Amino acid sequence: MFNKELFSEYIKAEILGKNLLLFDKLDSTNTYLLENDFEVGTVAVANNQINGKGRSGRSWFNSDKGLAFSVVLPILEPKYLLPINIIAGFSVIDALKKYVPIKLKWPNDCVINGKKVCGILIDTSFNGSILDKVVLGIGLNIDKVEFPIDIKDKATFLNKWSNVKLQREFILAKILNKLENYINLFINNNFDIVSLWKDYSDNLDKEISIHINGNISKYVEKGINYDGCLIVINDAGKEDLILSGEIGYDFSS
Ligand code: BTN
């Protein structure tokens, strides 16, 4: 079970994680926070997530050997959702890069040695055309686990790569500390996602394939722009912008 006292030793964030809700079993931490009213910064952690959601309508593999949590973020303009997705990825990398060789695959899959170790999903709700809730969910594989057959060659877990045994409480606090710091910088127009991407991407200047609606195209990745879109060079040597889609294979089941 998640140890609140241990978590409080590491948490430095002032808003994120102040209200911490722990569940043994939950459908989905994202859905729970989306469907109930909690203040900004509220975090829900589930030991078991029975109906975890992945990107593009897929499901997220459930395991009590990992960390599944969501956090209510401040409401922001919809155009900032993609940059915030990327910033969430930066926060995970910063929390863990001292321990494992972790990198980002656009927009925010966290990978080690090309295998997915963490997935990130932002869910929103609207009141008419007005965005009225933003929930960020993060799923991390931490300890050794039997992955389902369809993802077993594409997924990995943190403690396979770390010399120190990383604990859920420590990881959650470190991610929230970074995330709060980065969101504040971003809101104050003081965060250069474009240059940070160059350091954190697993694929910069490499050949990548992009999957969009069942079509696969080959490109070379050149970075991101300030909207969070991926800048690529296509087969004809021309620059293109990718606004959605996934790089290479995907790891949700
Ligand atoms: C992806 O497909 O890569 C995104 C996966 C996001 C999974 C996390 S686990 C906690 C939170 N609750 C959910 O239902 N999904 C996210």
Side-chain angles (χ1 to χ4, degrees):
M1 201 46 191
F2 191 93
N3 183 333
K4 247 185 175 175
E5 282 71 49
L6 192 56
F7 171 77
S8 60
E9 281 179 30
Y10 300 118
I11 189 75
K12 300 275 181 296
E14 286 173 7
I15 296 168
L16 305 191
K18 201 168 169 209
N19 185 23
L20 180 67
L21 311 170
L22 303 177
F23 298 89
D24 188 37
K25 221 181 244 178
L26 206 60
D27 245 34
S28 150
T29 53
N30 266 27
T31 307
Y32 181 77
L33 291 184
L34 211 57
E35 289 180 351
N36 295 279
D37 273 335
F38 292 106
E39 71 251 34
V40 167
T42 298
V43 170
V45 181
N47 266 344
N48 283 286
Q49 212 185 199
I50 308 309
N51 222 341
K53 297 193 290 179
R55 278 212 313 271
S56 310
R58 289 180 298 265
S59 59
W60 182 253
F61 155 70
N62 174 44
S63 152
D64 61 359
K65 301 277 187 288
L67 173 66
F69 75 95
S70 302
V71 52
V72 181
L73 294 187
I75 294 164
L76 30 81
E77 281 186 57
K79 69 172 178 185
Y80 294 131
L81 289 173
L82 183 53
I84 288 290
N85 259 297
I86 287 168
I87 284 170
F90 289 155
S91 308
V92 174
I93 304 297
D94 273 339
L96 297 168
K97 68 178 191 223
K98 186 169 157 200
Y99 309 97
V100 291
I102 188 166
K103 291 281 190 180
L104 279 176
K105 187 162 79 75
W106 187 84
N108 57 12
D109 281 346
C110 305
V111 296
I112 300 179
N113 202 26
K115 298 193 175 194
K116 185 156 168 174
V117 70
C118 170
I120 299 175
L121 175 71
I122 290 186
D123 276 321
T124 51
S125 70
F126 284 80
N127 189 349
S129 60
I130 310 291
L131 184 61
D132 73 352
K133 199 179 278 183
V134 180
V135 171
L136 166 76
I138 298 186
L140 260 153
N141 308 324
I142 299 180
D143 288 320
K144 188 169 186 320
V145 63
E146 202 59 52
F147 289 112
I149 185 101
D150 52 329
I151 60 169
K152 91 178 183 20
D153 295 332
K154 306 166 187 168
T156 190
F157 56 95
L158 280 177
N159 280 324
K160 177 176 177 173
W161 302 89
S162 174
N163 289 328
V164 289
K165 188 169 160 39
L166 294 164
Q167 289 173 302
R168 294 195 299 167
E169 295 80 356
F170 172 80
I171 296 169
L172 177 60
K174 290 282 172 185
I175 293 174
L176 296 175
N177 294 345
K178 258 297 162 197
L179 188 61
E180 182 167 298
N181 172 234
Y182 279 164
I183 288 175
N184 285 335
L185 290 174
F186 182 73
I187 287 172
N188 292 313
N189 230 337
N190 224 340
F191 190 27
D192 187 354
I193 61 168
V194 169
S195 49
L196 207 58
W197 181 264
K198 291 193 191 297
D199 292 335
Y200 286 25
S201 172
D202 200 29
N203 293 302
L204 193 74
D205 292 326
K206 292 187 192 160
E207 266 205 349
I208 51 170
S209 57
I210 306 269
H211 297 220
I212 304 174
N213 303 328
N215 298 318
I216 303 178
S217 314
K218 282 222 170 334
Y219 298 100
V220 173
E221 180 183 310
K222 297 313 285 181
I224 59 169
N225 67 13
Y226 285 100
D227 296 328
C229 301
L230 193 68
I231 303 168
V232 293
I233 304 286
N234 66 22
D235 267 351
K238 281 201 139 180
E239 196 173 288
D240 259 355
L241 265 190
I242 308 293
L243 281 69
S244 64
E246 324 233 357
I247 296 186
Y249 48 75
D250 197 82
F251 306 88
S252 310
S253 54

